[in-house]
């Protein structure tokens, strides 16, 4: 009897699709139940909707305030009403004093999505992928959904179908449009509106860096900035990368991805116990990564978008570890071309192979002294980060023009 074999990549992709189908089926069953309950109750109950909002923003985590604050500030400056909705009770937005922008906590997790599913708004802007795939459904009361990227890397690094159900995507660089168009053709999706607006949070980060006081003299500082998940730096290298970093004699900052503190508690607890804070090594848990980025001279990471932040804004090189990126859970699985970020990384740094861990100090020193790095870094900056310093204005322009268009078509 012939045995059936499914390779791990295909299996992972099929599992992801199965989860999506199960999630959709569950939502449909719940929706049918709610409608039946409504009918049997004689149509009584609270009407969905409430106030109608011209412009709404949804942030699923407080760390995306760096993306939305420049946009909210731009609406405030123009005197245009906007409602910022957050799923973080300690979002910095809630401490802002605006006249025209209203910042609201709408609950965590499913409570937030339940409100979004009944939202009445002309336009909703968000960084959150997965619209209409799992618990966050398109509301019949929202005319237009816009996704704004929160990183300067490939949009296909989202989990599968992450951007499929948006009406528009605001890009940081023109190269991202080709990837989205390819996915649309492969999946038979209608073409989204794509507009290159740059990145609001990078503009704000650049301004902050320019205005920061000079750093005092300090030893060479190496930042270990791991993403999260099975392919991440700390998952793949663990104790080995920390031992190699300490062996350089340089100061070490270890900064895991914020999601790791939720999804990978055991891993971080084990590593922190084996390599505790000391005069040479520090674990950085700051909500804001600015201080860690500014104090570091070079970064070691995996496939995290923070590598581009580090190089594009601070002008510093990176060392990217070979983590054998598994693209099967991501939209990148559908594309034959290599991800743009893997073409960009050799131009802003050097690769670290597992067999070269014992040469880490030598690799760090050579990378820091590389003569051609500055020119190639500028090339990558131009590809990934368009309209530097103008993104918040361009995003606001697009949203305001789109509202006029939607209002005109409704007449």
């Amino acid at each position: 009897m012939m045995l059936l074999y499914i390779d791990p990549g295909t299996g992972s992709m099929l599992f992801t699709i199965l989860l999506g189908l199960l999630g959709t089926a569950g939502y449909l069953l719940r929706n049918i139940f709610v409608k039946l309950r409504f009918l049997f109750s004689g149509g009584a109950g609270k009407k969905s909707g409430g106030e109608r909002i011209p412009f709404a923003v949804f942030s699923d985590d407080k760390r995306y305030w760096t993306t939305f604050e420049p946009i909210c500030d731009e609406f405030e400056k123009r005197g245009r009403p906007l409602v910022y909705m957050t799923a973080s009770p300690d979002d910095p937005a809630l401490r802002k004093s605006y006249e025209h922008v209203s910042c609201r906590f709408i609950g965590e997790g499913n409570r937030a999505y339940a409100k979004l599913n009944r939202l009445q708004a002309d336009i909703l802007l968000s960084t959150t992928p997965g619209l209409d795939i799992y618990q966050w459904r398109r509301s019949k009361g929202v005319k237009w959904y816009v996704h704004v990227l929160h990183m300067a890397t490939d949009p296909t690094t989202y989990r599968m179908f992450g951007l499929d159900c948006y009406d528009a995507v605001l890009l940081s660089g023109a190269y991202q449009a080709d990837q989205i168009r390819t996915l649309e053709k492969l999946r038979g999706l209608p073409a989204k509106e794509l507009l290159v607006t740059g990145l609001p949070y990078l503009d704000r980060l650049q301004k902050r860096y320019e205005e920061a006081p000079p750093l005092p003299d300090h030893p060479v500082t190496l930042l270990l900035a791991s993403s999260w998940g099975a392919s991440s730096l700390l998952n793949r290298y663990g104790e080995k990368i920390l031992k190699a970093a300490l062996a350089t004699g340089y100061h070490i900052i270890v900064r895991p991805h914020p999601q790791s503190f939720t999804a990978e508690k055991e891993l971080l607890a084990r590593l922190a116990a084996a390599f505790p804070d000391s005069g040479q090594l520090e674990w950085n848990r700051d909500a804001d990564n600015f201080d860690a980025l500014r104090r570091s001279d070079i970064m070691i990471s995996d496939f995290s978008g923070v590598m581009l932040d580090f190089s594009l804004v601070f002008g510093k090189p990176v060392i990217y570890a070979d983590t054998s990126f598994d693209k099967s859970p991501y939209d990148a699985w559908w594309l034959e071309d290599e991800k743009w970020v893997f073409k960009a990384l050799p131009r802003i740094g050097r690769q670290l192979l597992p067999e070269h861990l014992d040469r880490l100090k030598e690799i760090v020193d050579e990378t820091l002294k590389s003569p051609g790095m500055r020119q190639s870094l500028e090339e990558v900056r131009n590809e990934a980060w368009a309209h530097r310093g103008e993104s918040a204005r361009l995003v606001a322009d697009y949203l305001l023009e789109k509202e006029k268009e939607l209002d005109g078509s409704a007449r």
Side-chain angles (χ1 to χ4, degrees), residues 16-81:
T16 301
I17 293 174
L18 178 62
L19 284 178
L21 292 173
L22 289 174
T24 301
Y27 170 78
L28 290 173
L29 289 173
R30 289 195 302 271
N31 198 32
I32 290 170
F33 174 75
V34 170
K35 288 181 178 179
L36 287 174
R37 186 174 63 180
F38 179 80
L39 289 172
F40 284 119
S41 67
K46 202 173 182 179
K47 253 182 151 182
S48 67
E51 66 171 321
R52 176 142 204 106
I53 300 168
F55 302 100
V57 169
F58 170 61
S59 177
D60 64 83
D61 193 279
K62 62 184 178 184
R63 65 180 180 267
Y64 300 120
W65 178 237
T66 56
T67 291
F68 293 122
E69 184 178 21
I71 298 169
C72 290
D73 288 350
E74 185 69 23
F75 268 77
E76 178 71 10
K77 184 173 72 175
R78 300 187 190 198
R80 299 301 300 266

Side-chain angles (χ1 to χ4, degrees), residues 217-403:
D217 290 339
H218 64 282
V220 172
T221 300
L222 175 58
L223 174 62
L224 296 184
S226 178
S227 185
W228 71 282
S231 298
S232 67
L233 181 71
L234 291 179
N235 267 285
R236 288 292 181 90
Y237 286 78
E239 290 85 353
K240 293 179 181 178
I241 191 67
L242 290 164
K243 286 180 181 177
L246 286 170
T248 65
Y250 295 141
H251 186 75
I252 310 300
I253 300 175
V254 186
R255 182 177 170 82
H257 190 283
Q259 185 64 26
S260 293
F261 292 104
T262 301
E264 299 169 331
K265 289 181 179 179
E266 292 184 8
L267 170 68
L268 296 188
R270 188 184 80 240
L271 294 177
F275 301 89
D277 286 282
S278 66
Q280 185 187 358
L281 182 145
E282 60 179 284
W283 286 84
N284 183 274
R285 300 170 177 82
D286 296 345
D288 183 358
N289 66 6
F290 179 77
D291 181 65
L293 295 176
R294 192 168 79 101
R295 289 193 292 122
S296 301
D297 299 293
I298 190 167
M299 174 189 289
I300 298 181
S301 190
D302 36 53
F303 51 88
S304 174
V306 75
M307 285 188 290
L308 292 170
D309 297 354
F310 188 68
S311 286
L312 300 186
V313 174
F314 297 85
K316 300 173 183 178
V318 301
I319 293 174
Y320 53 101
D322 176 18
T323 58
S324 303
F325 177 72
D326 176 16
K327 65 180 183 178
S328 58
Y330 305 96
D331 272 328
W333 185 90
W334 295 75
L335 304 184
E336 294 181 2
D337 293 343
E338 185 179 28
K339 286 173 59 183
W340 173 87
V341 70
F342 292 138
K343 300 175 186 176
L345 288 176
R347 293 182 281 164
I348 61 174
R350 289 186 57 179
Q351 187 178 34
L352 175 65
L353 299 174
E355 57 267 30
H356 295 158
L357 276 175
D358 59 346
R359 294 180 48 237
L360 183 58
K361 184 178 188 303
E362 179 186 340
I363 293 170
V364 167
D365 292 343
E366 290 175 356
T367 306
L368 286 170
K369 296 173 184 175
S370 177
M373 194 70 66
R374 186 166 298 279
Q375 181 178 345
S376 58
L377 193 153
E378 186 61 29
E379 292 172 358
V380 172
R381 183 184 279 133
N382 289 333
E383 292 172 18
W385 184 13
H387 304 298
R388 294 197 287 276
E390 302 180 82
S391 58
R393 177 183 63 80
L394 293 172
V395 171
D397 285 347
Y398 170 77
L399 297 177
L400 292 166
E401 286 300 315
K402 176 54 64 174
E403 190 208 22

